[in-house]
Every structure is written in structure tokens, then in C-alpha cells.
Amino acid sequence: MAALKTIPATSTIDEIASWCDRDGAVIVTDLVGPELLDRVNRDLDPILDARVPGYGYLDNPVALEQQGRNTRRLMGLAAKSDAGVECMTHPLILGYADHELGTPHGGYQLNMAQVIEIGPGEPEQVLHVDEIIWPRYVRPVDGPPLMFSCMVALTEFTEENGATRVAMGSHVLDVDWEAAPRPETVPAEMAPGSGLFFKGRVAHGGGANRTSQWRRGMTLTYCANWLRTEEATPLSVSLERARQLPRTMQELLGFKSVYGSYLVDTPQIMLWAHDMGDVATLLEVDGESRS
Ligand SMILES: O=C(O)CCC(=O)C(=O)O
Ligand SMILES: [Fe+2]
């Protein structure tokens, strides 16, 4: 099988989109510059050090198997790291989000931002599509995309240390990958700061880590704004913290009401409203007094 296409961060959104449409994924080099990368890693180091591998799944053996016994994961990045916020609002990622999830389906939101550190000895993750969190009937293979992900490499990603593996072209196939025989996959080998853009319907999974180092990545996932998100994004920050964030980040976290997409031509009824109005009013200093 051919390797994943690698293109520079100076590429256009159309180029990113056309490789994703063809292969289901593409690697963009130098997405995050060295200075920002360093700040993200410095914010994460102490938090990850304190995190137990398998945290969140320790009492659920099936999930633990899927999510990794020796993998450290954490969410709530918007509260924990200004540098993480810069990554989540990266112009190229949001440019692709505009393309993939913008009109006519009413726009998008952050679905989840998760740091995934695969530890030594971790076996290959079960292959899956990230859209698996929603029922099949909302994600027919020929239907509009509901989400996409960008896995930002925070350390080097190599085949040996567990680089994300992708079944190229699998996004157009109607297969239940968790139950199907494992297809051929290729590793998304990339330098720190590069990002793997991949579609919500492409089969992929973390690779086996056969080294003694931890492989650190940050998966930033975006979805149509009428869906229930994997991470309880607006609740992942305090209102005080939310007020200090850039407007784009506030909106991505859900501090924005939208009109029901079925009424897009004659917007009338809001989704995710607060007290008959836009939920963004909660960010006004007297916002709490409305409820
Ligand atoms: O860590 C990776 O490389 C991929 C993880 C993944 O796909 C997931 O947990 O959904
Ligand atoms: Fe995944």
C-alpha cells in the first residue's frame, strides 16, 4: 500500500481536502511551530506525569483494551493550556473545518480535544472510525461528513513508537471495522509539530509502541454543531476561564447558539439556547443572573 501523502503547511485548504477525499487522511508538516509546540508540551508535562495510564477506563476492561492499558489520556485542554487553545483555533485546521463541516449543515464545534500518550509495550489499538460515537443511522457512508480529526504530533511519530495507523481509502467503505478482519494500514510517521488530518469515517487506530519512549499526540476533533459532543466542552472550563478565551474558542466550546439546520433558510428556532436567547449571554459579566 502507498504511504500517506505529506504536504507542507503552506498548502491550500483545497489541497488538504483533495488528499483527504482521496485517501481519507493527509499529513501536514510544520502545522505547529517549534515555539508553540514547546509551550504545549511544557503545559502538558506535569499533568501527564500525574496521570495514571488507563485513567477513566480502569473499571471497564473492554474500554481499557480499546483505549490502552498503558496509554495516558486527558481532556479539558481549553482550561489547562493557552498553547492548547492556540492549536484548537489553528487557522489551517479551522479552514479545513469550514470546508468540511461549514454550510449547508449549520457549522461546527469542537467535539473533543484529547492528549494521547501511548506508552512502551502498548499493543496496536483496535481499528475504528471516530464517528462511531454516534448511531449508524446519522452517518450513512454516502451522507455528509459529521466530523474530522487532526492528530498533532507532540513528539516524533514513528512506526516503532506507535504512530497512528490509517487504512487508506477506507472512508468510502461501509464496514463495521471493529468487527471486520483488520485491513492493511500505514503508519502516519511525522515529525513533532506535524498534523494528520483525517476524516471521521476513515478506519484508523494508535499503533503498537515497541520502544521505551512515550509517543505523545493531541487529537483535535470537530463535528457538526447539531450533534452531542464526545467531550462536555462548555463544562470543561469555568465561566471565568471561558470569558478570558478568544471568541473563536468560546464558540468552538459551545458558547454560541445556532439555528436549527432544518430551518436554515428561515432561521427561527435556536438549538442550544439559553433563556430564549443566545447562550453566549452567559459570558456577559451579569450572565449568571439570567438563569
Ligand atoms: O493515538 C492514536 O494514534 C490514535 C488514537 C485514536 O484514534 C483514538 O483513541 O480514537
Ligand atoms: Fe480514533
Side-chain angles (χ1 to χ4, degrees):
M1 188 184 271
L4 285 161
K5 182 73 182 170
T6 297
I7 59 176
T10 49
S11 305
T12 62
I13 300 301
D14 282 347
E15 283 170 301
I16 295 175
S18 66
W19 287 110
C20 283
D21 288 346
R22 200 194 79 163
D23 294 342
V26 67
I27 295 169
V28 175
T29 58
D30 302 313
L31 184 68
V32 171
E35 188 270 333
L36 178 56
L37 183 69
D38 190 50
R39 277 193 288 130
V40 178
N41 276 325
R42 271 190 281 131
D43 286 347
L44 294 175
D45 283 340
I47 311 171
L48 284 167
D49 279 352
R51 180 124 293 187
V52 179
Y55 181 83
Y57 304 103
L58 293 168
D59 57 357
N60 182 340
V62 176
L64 191 59
E65 217 51 59
Q66 155 71 3
Q67 301 286 305
R69 273 174 203 286
N70 200 30
T71 293
R72 301 197 282 220
R73 292 174 185 261
L74 63 90
M75 294 186 191
L77 259 189
K80 297 179 168 92
S81 170
D82 288 342
V85 169
E86 280 181 55
C87 296
M88 287 182 260
T89 54
H90 191 294
L92 207 56
I93 300 179
L94 297 188
Y96 182 61
D98 286 339
H99 171 96
E100 190 73 352
L101 304 170
T103 54
H105 308 293
Y108 56 89
Q109 59 191 331
L110 183 75
N111 173 57
M112 176 185 70
Q114 188 177 116
V115 177
I116 306 177
E117 211 178 33
I118 300 184
E122 187 71 271
E124 208 161 51
Q125 188 185 28
V126 175
L127 226 57
H128 61 278
V129 300
D130 280 347
E131 284 188 6
I132 199 169
I133 50 176
W134 299 298
R136 253 191 176 284
Y137 62 82
V138 297
R139 49 182 176 93
V141 74
D142 56 353
L146 300 185
M147 76 175 295
F148 77 93
S149 306
C150 179
M151 170 65 89
V152 180
L154 299 180
T155 59
E156 201 180 12
F157 272 38
T158 64
E159 176 151 35
E160 291 69 37
N161 79 2
T164 310
R165 302 196 66 94
V166 178
M168 285 171 68
S170 57
H171 58 298
V172 297
L173 304 174
D174 198 4
V175 173
D176 181 1
W177 295 106
E178 301 216 342
R182 193 176 168 99
E184 200 181 329
T185 58
V186 293
E189 295 200 294
M190 47 186 178
S194 296
L196 171 73
F197 286 70
F198 61 101
K199 290 197 172 243
R201 269 167 221 165
V202 77
H204 70 281
N209 187 343
R210 290 183 284 270
T211 71
S212 56
Q213 313 294 322
W214 290 76
R215 187 233 65 180
R216 186 184 291 182
M218 178 174 57
T219 182
L220 308 176
T221 73
Y222 303 79
C223 70
N225 62 12
W226 50 269
L227 281 162
R228 184 74 176 253
T229 54
E230 188 167 354
E231 181 173 10
T233 49
L235 301 177
S236 70
V237 288
S238 66
L239 272 185
E240 225 179 312
R241 168 75 175 161
R243 288 185 181 118
Q244 291 157 8
L245 293 171
R247 182 69 197 130
T248 306
M249 189 72 242
Q250 294 172 340
E251 292 187 359
L252 286 171
L253 288 171
F255 291 98
K256 179 194 182 187
S257 301
V258 294
Y259 286 102
S261 52
Y262 58 97
L263 290 170
V264 96
D265 295 331
T266 52
Q268 295 167 39
I269 299 175
M270 273 187 171
L271 282 180
W272 198 239
H274 172 68
D275 195 12
M276 308 312 298
D278 192 323
V279 70
T281 55
L282 279 172
L283 297 178
E284 292 165 9
V285 177
D286 64 350
E288 287 108 321
S289 62
R290 292 176 60 99
S291 49

